[in-house]
Amino acid sequence: MTLGAGVRRARARRYLMCRPTYFDVRYAINPWMDPRQPVNTDRACAQWETLRALYRDLGHTVELIDPLPSLPDMVYAANGGLVVGGRALGVRFRHPERSGEQEPYLRRLARLASGGVYRPTLVNEGEGDFLPVGGMILAGTGFRSERAAHAEVARILCRPVHSLTLVDPRFYHLDTALCVFDDDLVAYLPAAFDDAGRGLIAALFPAAIRVSEADAVAFGLNAVSDGRHVVLAAAAEGFAAELRHRGFEPIGIEFDELRRGGGGIKCATLEIRS
Ligand code: ARG
C-alpha cells in the first residue's frame, strides 16, 4: 500500500545557492575533510549546475551569492543563515576558518529577506543546524551550534525551538542526520542522536522514516523536499524506495564531490521563506 499517494503537493520555493567555483579542502573541521586528497572543482561545479537546473525545472526560484576565492566552504549555503517568515538570522561559525562567510551572507540576505536581518551573538550555523517544520524549529547541538543559541533563535524568529543533541561526529550538523519533508514528516538516523533526542523525534513525528546507516553515510538525509519531490543523493536507494512508498517522488542525483568537504545537496541550499 502506498501511504499518502496523490496527496503530496509541491509548493514553489525560493533558494539561495553559491557556485563552488573556489571549492577546495584546505583544512579539516569535520571527519569527511582530508586536505591531502585532491578535489575536482570542475566536477563539483558540474554536479552543482545539475542541481540548480533541477530546482528551476521543478519551478523553484534560485537566487545566487557570489563565491569568494578565500572561502572554499562558501558553497554550503545552508550555513549562511536561517530565513523564516521573511526574517533572516545570520550566522556565527564555530570555526574561524569559516567566519569570513558571515558578513557576505548577511549582506546578501539583507537584499532577499523582506523582514530584516539579525546577527546572532552565539554560535549558530544556520540551516545546517536549524530546520523549520510546521510551526516549529528543530535545532541541533553537540558539534557546531551551541545549545544556548537555540533560545536566541526562538526569541528572534518567534517560533518554538526543540533541541536535539547529535552524538556521531560524521553527522555533525542536524541536516546530515535529519530531513524535513512536510509540516508533519521527517526522516532521520536514530543512532545520530542521544536518547532524549530520539525520544523527542519519535514523540513529535510518530510516522517518521528511519533510514539505514548506509543511506545516511551516502548523505541521503541531506536532501531537499518541496512537499512532493525529494532531491537526494542517488546512492541512497533504500531511502528513495521508502519515500516512493510514502507517496513522494524521489529524484536521485550524483552530488558526491561536495561530500569531500562534508556536505551534500541540502548543505548547498538555503531556503528563503517569506
Ligand atoms: N566543510 C563544511 C563544514 O564543515 C561543510 C558544511 C556542510 N553544511 C551543512 N549544512 N551540513 O562546516
Side-chain angles (χ1 to χ4, degrees):
M1 190 185 73
T2 299
L3 304 171
V7 299
R8 306 288 179 198
R9 294 222 189 294
R11 190 160 46 77
R13 313 285 173 129
R14 192 173 179 213
Y15 298 127
L16 176 62
M17 298 179 74
C18 179
R19 192 172 191 276
T21 311
Y22 307 108
F23 171 60
D24 201 356
V25 177
R26 294 184 207 147
Y27 46 81
I29 56 173
N30 69 58
W32 304 91
M33 300 175 85
D34 181 354
R36 291 165 309 187
Q37 299 295 323
V39 165
N40 186 336
T41 307
D42 290 343
R43 189 162 179 271
C45 287
Q47 294 183 339
W48 181 91
E49 292 290 358
T50 300
L51 178 63
R52 174 165 85 137
L54 176 58
Y55 286 146
R56 288 181 171 170
D57 289 347
L58 291 172
H60 306 308
T61 303
V62 178
E63 308 285 359
L64 297 173
I65 177 171
D66 290 332
L68 294 165
S70 57
L71 299 169
D73 269 339
M74 204 173 161
V75 58
Y76 302 109
N79 301 124
L82 172 65
V83 188
V84 173
R87 194 175 276 206
L89 180 59
V91 296
R92 198 177 174 100
F93 284 98
R94 174 159 305 271
H95 300 99
E97 290 89 340
R98 295 196 68 187
S99 60
E101 298 177 39
Q102 291 164 192
E103 287 305 312
Y105 269 103
L106 197 77
R107 278 198 300 276
R108 187 72 186 95
L109 289 174
R111 296 175 49 207
L112 295 172
S114 52
V117 291
Y118 298 80
R119 258 190 200 81
T121 64
L122 301 165
V123 174
N124 170 328
E125 300 205 352
E127 260 196 32
D129 273 328
F130 294 88
L131 297 174
V133 49
M136 62 182 141
I137 296 174
L138 300 179
T141 188
F143 297 102
R144 297 294 182 88
S145 303
E146 51 188 315
R147 180 171 291 265
H150 297 180
E152 188 173 42
V153 168
R155 185 164 46 75
I156 296 174
L157 297 178
C158 310
R159 294 279 196 287
V161 173
H162 294 286
S163 297
L164 300 168
T165 300
L166 295 160
V167 296
D168 182 330
R170 293 172 302 170
F171 306 108
Y172 58 94
H173 273 142
L174 184 62
D175 70 357
T176 64
L178 183 143
C179 176
V180 169
F181 304 105
D182 235 340
D183 285 356
D184 57 358
L185 189 64
V186 304
Y188 68 117
L189 175 69
F193 297 89
D194 69 358
D195 287 341
R198 270 194 295 275
L200 183 58
I201 296 168
L204 290 171
F205 308 98
I209 299 173
R210 294 154 183 258
V211 307
S212 67
E213 167 154 341
D215 283 352
V217 167
F219 269 16
L221 285 165
N222 200 248
V224 173
S225 174
D226 62 14
R228 176 178 178 84
H229 310 97
V230 182
V231 183
L232 81 171
E237 290 174 2
F239 182 30
E242 179 61 22
L243 286 168
R244 232 170 268 121
H245 179 65
R246 304 273 188 131
F248 291 98
E249 215 178 290
I251 304 173
I253 63 169
E254 301 293 335
F255 208 76
D256 52 318
E257 197 60 32
L258 287 180
R259 203 167 64 141
R260 293 177 185 280
I265 292 165
K266 170 72 194 74
C267 301
T269 312
L270 176 64
E271 186 170 346
I272 312 293
R273 297 178 191 78
S274 50

